[in-house]
Amino acid sequence: MKRQFAMVAGALALACATQSAIAGPTLDAVKKKGFVQCGLTDGVSGFSATNSKGEWEGMDVDICRAVAAAVFGDATKFKGTPLSTQQRFTALQSGEVDVLLRTVTLTQTRDTSLGLAAVAPSFYDGQGVLVRKSLNVKSAKELNEATICVQPGTTTELNLADWFRANGIKFTPVVIDKVTEVVRAFESGRCDAFTDDASQLAAVRATQVAKADDFEILPERFSKEPLGPMVRQGDENWLGIVRWTLFALMEAEEYGINQKNVDEMLKSKNPNVLRILGVTPGAGKNMGVDEKWAYNAIKAVGNYGEIFERNVGNGSKLGLERGVNALWNQGGAMYAWPVR
């Protein structure tokens, strides 16, 4: 009798644990308010910026839209909150936003001591330096005694100090919070150089200065900058929804599923494709969302390759090569866990 009671109690405990894993507090709150609140940067072309109509655009925005599509079946059910580098972590910690998607570098400190959880890298980058060609320097090692614009409270600020100290180079930091103000200060000559992630420097050169040909990005990369979404710790269900949405976009590219052929791919003979698109059920139920969660995301924004190309790739103003951001089977580092 005791053995039977223990078995029943164990089964009930397992059922409760399963239910709590599916019905996470963030998902419940998101469903109640009817949209996903995403913390974004306003002003980083290619990643997140508002256009002349006040609409959000960019790679990070498309990932936010994909999460909204996975949860609601509607990519328009999101709201963007513009956040500075100083505001971003507090906004996520406090619940002001549901997911932080503003070119955040995923680091050990941020993934542990801040009460936040890294989802997965959505873009691999490295810190660089933008200078005027008229400065006549070809290496960051030639910037001794230079003034350098940098945003506060970022890994960029720390990396800058570390790299220059390690190379015995003196510099004066010009610390400015907002990206747009940094660009204005740099272009006006207040600082000799501007340091940030190389992709953001490419965006600045392509879209935010008067004459792009007057500027160049120096060859050094000071750091590894794996950029990606972050959520709050303690809600594994929401972490899973955001993570698996991102992975589904990568898996879609790997299996040749795109925005145009996604309906046709519902008839695929490939069991991996059928699991991703929800024809074979299970993945959606595991997270407490509709079985068509990944189908809806891909239908709304395309696969990872389409998102990259549209926003930052050769078909965009930035013109970035895929490089390390190519899929693992195409020479890059993008390796999604299997939807299985």
Side-chain angles (χ1 to χ4, degrees), residues 41-58:
T41 308
D42 192 3
V44 182
S45 178
F47 288 88
S48 59
T50 51
N51 61 25
S52 59
K53 298 179 181 178
E55 301 166 332
W56 285 99
E57 295 179 333

Side-chain angles (χ1 to χ4, degrees), residues 63-222:
I63 295 172
C64 174
R65 295 174 59 221
V67 173
V71 173
F72 294 107
D74 184 348
T76 67
K77 291 192 174 182
F78 83 94
K79 291 185 179 180
T81 298
L83 298 171
S84 70
T85 55
Q86 303 286 59
Q87 297 169 328
R88 55 184 174 170
F89 298 125
T90 302
L92 182 57
Q93 291 162 341
S94 67
E96 180 184 349
V97 298
D98 305 309
V99 56
L100 188 60
L101 271 160
R102 63 169 315 284
T103 53
V104 180
T105 301
L106 308 180
T107 68
Q108 189 268 354
T109 300
R110 293 171 178 178
D111 191 48
T112 55
S113 64
L114 296 185
L116 308 179
V119 173
S122 56
F123 188 93
Y124 289 102
D125 211 342
Q127 184 176 332
V129 176
L130 183 68
V131 297
R132 296 173 192 79
K133 291 180 180 178
S134 61
L135 200 61
N136 292 319
V137 297
K138 297 300 178 184
S139 167
K141 292 180 179 180
E142 299 174 34
L143 292 174
N144 192 45
E145 303 291 350
T147 54
I148 302 178
C149 280
V150 62
Q151 288 183 275
T154 62
T155 56
T156 308
E157 186 180 21
L158 176 62
N159 294 336
L160 175 68
D162 285 350
W163 192 88
F164 274 69
R165 186 181 303 115
N167 285 278
I169 304 169
K170 295 181 180 179
F171 76 100
T172 300
V174 178
V175 181
I176 303 172
D177 192 26
K178 294 183 179 180
V179 174
T180 51
E181 293 177 5
V182 176
V183 175
R184 283 198 294 270
F186 171 59
E187 194 173 17
S188 69
R190 185 176 168 190
C191 40
D192 301 310
F194 170 28
T195 185
D196 210 323
D197 295 339
S199 62
Q200 295 199 47
L201 297 179
V204 167
R205 185 178 60 180
T207 64
Q208 296 185 45
V209 295
K211 295 181 179 180
D213 290 340
D214 289 349
F215 300 87
E216 64 180 334
I217 300 172
L218 298 179
E220 288 87 358
R221 294 294 177 268
F222 302 161

Side-chain angles (χ1 to χ4, degrees), residues 143-334:
L143 292 174
N144 192 45
E145 303 291 350
T147 54
I148 302 178
C149 280
V150 62
Q151 288 183 275
T154 62
T155 56
T156 308
E157 186 180 21
L158 176 62
N159 294 336
L160 175 68
D162 285 350
W163 192 88
F164 274 69
R165 186 181 303 115
N167 285 278
I169 304 169
K170 295 181 180 179
F171 76 100
T172 300
V174 178
V175 181
I176 303 172
D177 192 26
K178 294 183 179 180
V179 174
T180 51
E181 293 177 5
V182 176
V183 175
R184 283 198 294 270
F186 171 59
E187 194 173 17
S188 69
R190 185 176 168 190
C191 40
D192 301 310
F194 170 28
T195 185
D196 210 323
D197 295 339
S199 62
Q200 295 199 47
L201 297 179
V204 167
R205 185 178 60 180
T207 64
Q208 296 185 45
V209 295
K211 295 181 179 180
D213 290 340
D214 289 349
F215 300 87
E216 64 180 334
I217 300 172
L218 298 179
E220 288 87 358
R221 294 294 177 268
F222 302 161
S223 64
K224 295 184 294 184
E225 302 293 331
L227 310 178
M230 297 200 81
V231 296
R232 286 179 293 280
Q233 287 180 8
D235 191 343
E236 288 77 9
N237 171 234
W238 184 246
L239 170 63
I241 289 171
V242 179
R243 173 181 287 160
W244 285 107
T245 299
L246 177 58
F247 283 161
L249 300 176
M250 297 179 193
E251 284 257 277
E253 182 182 9
E254 183 173 342
Y255 289 107
I257 311 167
N258 58 49
Q259 196 171 22
K260 290 183 178 179
N261 72 8
V262 64
D263 288 307
E264 180 183 344
M265 294 297 278
L266 293 170
K267 303 173 185 176
S268 173
K269 301 297 182 183
N270 188 323
N272 294 304
V273 171
L274 298 181
R275 279 193 291 267
I276 293 167
L277 298 181
V279 177
T280 301
K285 182 180 179 182
N286 291 341
M287 300 186 296
V289 295
D290 191 273
E291 294 294 354
K292 295 184 73 175
W293 62 281
Y295 166 90
N296 290 331
I298 299 161
K299 184 78 171 179
V301 302
N303 62 37
Y304 178 82
E306 290 177 288
I307 294 170
F308 185 101
E309 180 64 20
R310 178 170 64 243
N311 292 296
V312 301
N314 289 324
S316 73
K317 292 180 181 178
L318 272 64
L320 301 180
E321 299 292 336
R322 283 292 291 269
V324 72
N325 290 298
L327 295 181
W328 66 279
N329 57 358
Q330 296 175 13
M334 285 300 173

